Amino acid sequence: MRIDIITVLPELLENFTKESIVGRAQKKGLVEIHVHNLRDYTLDKWRRVDDYPFGGFAGMVMQCEPIDRCISQLKSERHYDEVIFTTPDGEQFSQPMANKLSLCGNIIILCGHYKGIDYRVREHLITKEVSIGDYVLTGGELAAAVMTDAIVRILPGAIGDEQSALSDSFQDNLLAAPVYTRPAEYKDWGRVPDVLLSGHEARIKEWELQQSIERTRRLRPDLLRGTPLE
Ligand code: ADE
């Protein structure tokens, strides 16, 4: 898989793509992440990529030309399954969306900034608009990082224990069960549930499922609405 991220703040994303599971997934050849500085695609001698909005509104708007030049360049090199724009008025990002995007060959993520981008870009170049939540960030870089992280970690082989990505919260619309590690007793904070020390795989699986259901009912009943577990 290949993810191309277009941004006016490439420094913000450079470390993120090299570290941890995302960095290791790249070294293993599971994903290539390329960060492009939008300013490299403007013809403006001051490297400006934004301008005042028509209509006298406040703020600055990202111009069509640099975005068009960057995306056209990338598209001339390979096919892209999605050209995503990060924006608070987009479709809400979710685990099912991450799962679906992880099956793509190549995607572009365009990070929004300032007051927005010229609407014609959204109409002509963007195939999917995505929000990571109902709040407004100063730019789309953190949203692009959130999406990239969620997509990359579920690529087969990205996480050592493949089972662990599948047992995440949300993978089956249930929150994950609690986990514990050594020591089995710590201070007076109580003991790790006996079943987890029993070595009885079937009973452990059953306990894990019951815990997931109980936590989901208590913390996120909305996830169970319309299901037999409601
Ligand atoms: N840009 C600014 N806020 C955002 C959000 N909530 N999601 C995605 N992109 C954004």
Side-chain angles (χ1 to χ4, degrees):
M1 178 179 199
R2 176 175 164 128
I3 303 175
D4 288 273
I5 304 176
I6 305 170
T7 169
V8 287
L9 295 172
E11 306 81 20
L12 207 59
L13 291 165
E14 231 103 70
N15 279 346
F16 155 75
T17 62
K18 292 196 188 94
E19 298 294 329
S20 188
I21 287 171
V22 173
R24 263 180 278 142
Q26 289 203 85
K27 286 201 191 100
K28 287 186 199 166
L30 304 175
V31 64
E32 271 180 48
I33 302 171
H34 297 267
V35 178
H36 306 274
N37 186 345
L38 187 61
R39 294 186 199 284
D40 293 341
Y41 294 85
T42 176
L43 297 174
D44 182 77
K45 68 175 172 183
W46 308 111
R47 286 169 56 84
R48 285 184 55 157
V49 294
D50 60 344
D51 208 334
Y52 294 98
F54 286 121
F57 303 109
M60 302 296 273
V61 175
M62 285 163 78
Q63 294 170 292
C64 293
E65 193 185 36
I67 297 170
D68 185 23
R69 281 166 50 87
C70 182
I71 292 178
S72 298
Q73 166 85 42
L74 291 171
K75 279 184 174 170
S76 73
E77 293 163 1
R78 68 196 63 76
H79 168 77
Y80 285 92
D81 301 298
E82 296 283 6
V83 181
I84 297 166
F85 174 54
T86 58
T87 174
D89 57 6
E91 183 186 343
Q92 170 97 44
F93 190 57
S94 63
Q95 189 63 52
M97 196 194 290
N99 295 350
K100 216 157 153 192
L101 290 171
S102 77
L103 300 175
C104 289
N106 307 310
I107 61 171
I108 292 172
I109 305 178
L110 170 65
C111 302
H113 237 267
Y114 312 109
K115 191 158 187 293
I117 57 173
D118 191 304
Y119 202 73
R120 290 166 291 189
V121 169
R122 297 171 72 161
E123 290 174 323
H124 290 274
L125 295 177
I126 300 301
T127 61
K128 197 174 185 64
E129 303 189 327
V130 180
S131 163
I132 61 162
D134 285 343
Y135 40 80
V136 180
L137 303 165
T138 52
E141 285 71 21
L142 293 179
V146 165
M147 294 174 64
T148 301
D149 191 285
I151 292 167
V152 170
R153 67 184 294 284
I154 50 175
L155 294 176
I159 293 184
D161 171 9
E162 271 210 33
Q163 204 47 44
S164 77
L166 293 176
S167 60
D168 287 338
S169 285
F170 300 112
Q171 265 312 1
D172 44 15
N173 248 13
L174 290 175
L175 302 184
V179 291
Y180 303 89
T181 187
R182 275 185 282 258
E185 274 180 72
Y186 180 72
K187 293 188 179 169
D188 59 351
W189 295 7
R191 224 174 108 76
V192 170
D194 281 336
V195 61
L196 296 181
L197 309 174
S198 70
H200 196 299
E201 209 175 305
R203 286 218 311 260
I204 292 172
K205 283 252 155 309
E206 180 54 28
W207 175 87
E208 195 182 18
L209 179 62
Q210 290 312 321
Q211 289 288 319
S212 283
I213 294 170
E214 187 280 316
R215 295 190 74 236
T216 311
R217 280 198 179 121
R218 184 161 45 88
L219 301 169
R220 290 293 305 274
D222 56 299
L223 294 174
L224 300 177
R225 218 147 284 149
T227 76
L229 292 171
E230 189 173 7

